[in-house]
Amino acid sequence: MAPTVTSIVPDRETRVIADLTTSTVREVNALLAGPDAPAALTITNPRGAHALACGLDADLDVRITGPVGYYCAGMNQHATVTVEGNAGVGVAENMMSGTVRVRGTASQSAGATAHGGLLIVEGDAGARCGISMKGVDIVVGGDVGHMSAFMGQAGRLVVCGDAGEALGDSLYEARLYVRGTVASLGADCIRKPMRPEHLAELTELLSIAGFDYDAGEFTRYGSARTLYNFHVDNAGAY
């Protein structure tokens, strides 16, 4: 059964409403991935469904009015996905481009392995936020859990609250900005000076994400670059 449409659709610019009490996740995702996908879609009554709005590869505007389960907006390209609720594990996992905004909190591994785009979590994010990030920008309005940005290779993680233990463990070249306290730093992650170019990029990220914080309140963290190649003097850190 096709997703419920609230009115006759004269062209693909009209917003379509898909209700998950009458349509399946497979049907909604097929609509979004198809050649006749509407430019704008509202998904109602998601009831924590998993894998919603995954694999999008077009300039779509998707709004989900409620909480979602695992891997929402995974592998996103070009689309703008807004979750008006909380998100489960792996929101925006492996995202390539576009924007994903969670107006609630996100569970663990938000933005995991993501290569590009912008992920905004207005509340807190759980453990391993940005794990193995590869170019994505992640802005979290609240706190992040332990092991966030673990093996972060590229991109920027902005935390407007506090960070849990082992922040940036085994970090490569991702840049981390934290406004609050850090429980502990992971292996090879160190505090770094905040230069003018960092203040400028952080100010821009905060503005795009919609947070009114002074970039000067944040501390920058990055890689000490001692684990790039094995050295016996650093064996205890591996």
Side-chain angles (χ1 to χ4, degrees):
M1 182 173 63
T4 302
V5 179
T6 56
S7 61
I8 300 300
V9 182
D11 57 56
R12 66 182 301 271
E13 295 304 316
T14 300
R15 179 170 288 277
V16 173
I17 297 179
D19 190 331
L20 286 191
T21 62
T22 57
S23 303
T24 67
V25 172
R26 183 185 294 273
E27 289 165 347
V28 171
N29 285 348
L31 173 66
L32 289 169
D36 298 322
L41 178 73
T42 296
I43 301 172
T44 60
N45 297 308
R47 299 180 298 174
H50 303 315
L52 266 176
C54 287
L56 302 184
D57 190 16
D59 185 14
L60 307 175
D61 180 11
V62 180
R63 187 171 301 273
I64 304 170
T65 60
V68 295
Y70 299 169
Y71 306 118
C72 178
M75 301 179 290
N76 186 58
Q77 293 191 81
H78 309 301
T80 297
V81 180
T82 303
V83 178
E84 295 178 351
N86 300 328
V89 173
V91 63
E93 183 203 33
N94 206 37
M95 178 166 66
M96 298 295 175
S97 62
T99 300
V100 176
R101 180 183 290 271
V102 178
R103 295 201 179 276
T105 61
S107 186
Q108 65 181 349
S109 302
T113 74
H115 290 248
L118 173 64
L119 169 63
I120 304 158
V121 179
E122 295 188 359
D124 298 331
R128 300 175 181 85
C129 177
I131 182 173
S132 194
M133 54 193 289
K134 295 177 173 67
V136 66
D137 288 326
I138 302 175
V139 183
V140 179
D143 304 334
V144 296
H146 64 271
M147 297 290 287
S148 288
F150 171 59
M151 293 188 70
Q153 296 167 40
R156 298 168 293 187
L157 170 63
V158 178
V159 181
C160 298
D162 301 329
E165 296 179 347
L167 175 70
D169 190 89
S170 302
L171 194 68
Y172 289 84
E173 292 302 317
R175 293 194 291 279
L176 316 180
Y177 299 98
V178 181
R179 180 170 175 264
T181 61
V182 176
S184 66
L185 296 176
D188 212 38
C189 183
I190 60 173
R191 179 172 178 167
K192 292 198 167 185
M194 186 79 88
R195 296 193 292 270
E197 62 267 30
H198 303 126
L199 290 169
E201 74 170 9
L202 178 55
T203 297
E204 181 181 22
L205 274 172
L206 289 168
S207 176
I208 293 172
F211 294 111
D212 188 20
Y213 291 118
D214 182 352
E217 299 174 352
F218 289 74
T219 301
R220 182 170 76 100
Y221 300 92
S223 174
R225 301 187 176 95
T226 60
L227 300 183
Y228 277 23
N229 299 289
F230 178 81
H231 192 285
V232 68
D233 292 342
N234 301 321
Y238 289 96

